[in-house]
Amino acid sequence: VSAPVGALGRMVAHYVAMFIKEGRRDLARGLVLAVALDCTWVAVPLCVIGLLGSGWAAGFFQLADPWPVVATVLALAMVWHKGVVDSALNGAQAFFWSSAIGIVWSLVRLVVAVALVLIGMGALGAVWANTVAMLLSLLVGWGAMRLLLGRERVSRHREPGMYPYFAGYLVALVGYGVLANADTILVKRLFDPAEAGRYAVAAMAARAVFFLPLPIAAAMFPKVVSGGVVDAASRRVLFKAVLLVAVVTLGIGGLVILFPGVTLRVLAGQQSPDLAPLLRGLVLALGPLSFVVVAMNFELAQRRFIAVGRVLASCSPARVRLAPDASAAIARAMPNAEAAPISGAPR
């Protein structure tokens, strides 16, 4: 669900930002209403199917009753609309409201979870707390959007080309996901489960280096939207975003490289000194992906999908060419590992 919802949200943010830049807030609100209605046609059938199949799902997952499935289905049904509202606020550059909604969601989830657990609902209370928090944050976001985009009645507006933009962004997002996670997939394929698990621990800690700068790319996106023309102001915003990402990546990456043991203890909850060389190598390998995200968001904000393909393709050959040597390199970092040949022979 995350990839389609993410691509849909970026589509909404793009057109809302463009309409606001052109002074057409009525079209921005009309587009949000149209996309929200379209999401309803997707979410309602999925919700009905999930609720009708909750009993079977509870039996399949060996749950005592279907209520955890019901709570999860309702939360997933709201994810689509929450993605639309959050992205509309991002497109309007209402970063205060975006942060406030995140705080509301986290706070409500914590308070409701504690209250429900205390009255005896146990883990089920925590699941329902997430659903309640999702609903309240959606309502707060919708109210903030009406405050920013206007309360007057407007007709629904579907901009020509908006869903092809969604499809293009979805393809780019999937491509980036493959690029960012190819190492874990290869290790899982080539190494025994124990060593693959150790690699996953180090990779999880190293990924903090390129996850932390992601909000910078998200904040840059609505500031540089256009129909394909890059002006001087957009270039200045891009330069500032790259500079900020460099500072964050080098700062966080430097701390992880200097203190790998502390990083593993904090993020993974374990002390594994033998994983320190691997963690340092992964930080150096994954750090540049932060700049790939910035470049990809900048090109997608300009609707230049071919350029995005070139950005992703330029990052791929290195992984393809290095694939035959990947098992040997990882084995050097994990002395107990035994890798299978890259050709696919049995482990």
Side-chain angles (χ1 to χ4, degrees), residues 15-25 28 88 91-93 149:
Y15 284 99
V16 167
M18 186 180 66
F19 289 144
I20 290 178
K21 184 179 290 187
E22 296 172 353
R24 299 189 292 172
R25 288 180 177 267
Q93 301 184 41
L149 299 182

Side-chain angles (χ1 to χ4, degrees), residues 126-293:
V127 177
W128 274 106
N130 180 68
T131 303
V132 173
M134 184 77 70
L135 176 60
L136 289 180
S137 61
L138 175 60
L139 294 175
V140 172
W142 195 265
M145 188 199 67
R146 292 191 63 189
L147 182 66
L148 292 168
L149 299 182
R151 301 172 182 269
E152 66 279 358
R153 294 180 62 87
V154 295
S155 58
R156 291 185 293 271
H157 175 73
R158 291 177 176 84
E159 183 73 6
M162 69 179 196
Y163 281 116
Y165 181 91
F166 158 75
Y169 202 107
L170 179 60
V171 171
L173 203 59
V174 171
Y176 176 77
V178 173
L179 178 67
N181 295 286
D183 58 326
T184 304
I185 297 171
L186 285 174
V187 170
K188 186 175 182 180
R189 170 67 182 87
L190 297 173
F191 290 83
D192 63 78
E195 293 302 332
R198 286 160 49 79
Y199 182 90
V201 170
M204 181 272 295
R207 275 171 168 73
V209 175
F210 77 87
F211 276 137
L212 288 176
L214 293 184
I216 299 174
M220 176 199 70
F221 184 84
K223 296 178 180 294
V224 297
V225 296
S226 76
V229 178
V230 182
D231 55 19
S234 295
R235 292 192 182 94
R236 286 194 296 270
V237 173
L238 174 63
F239 176 78
K240 292 178 182 178
V242 170
L243 184 61
L244 285 173
V245 167
V247 171
V248 174
T249 301
L250 292 175
I252 301 299
L255 289 175
V256 174
I257 289 173
L258 290 175
F259 307 104
V262 176
T263 303
L264 288 169
R265 187 161 59 250
V266 171
L267 296 181
Q270 58 179 270
Q271 291 181 332
S272 303
D274 54 325
L275 287 181
L278 178 61
L279 177 57
R280 291 189 178 103
L282 285 172
V283 168
L284 296 175
L286 296 175
L289 289 177
S290 302
F291 300 95
V292 175
V293 173

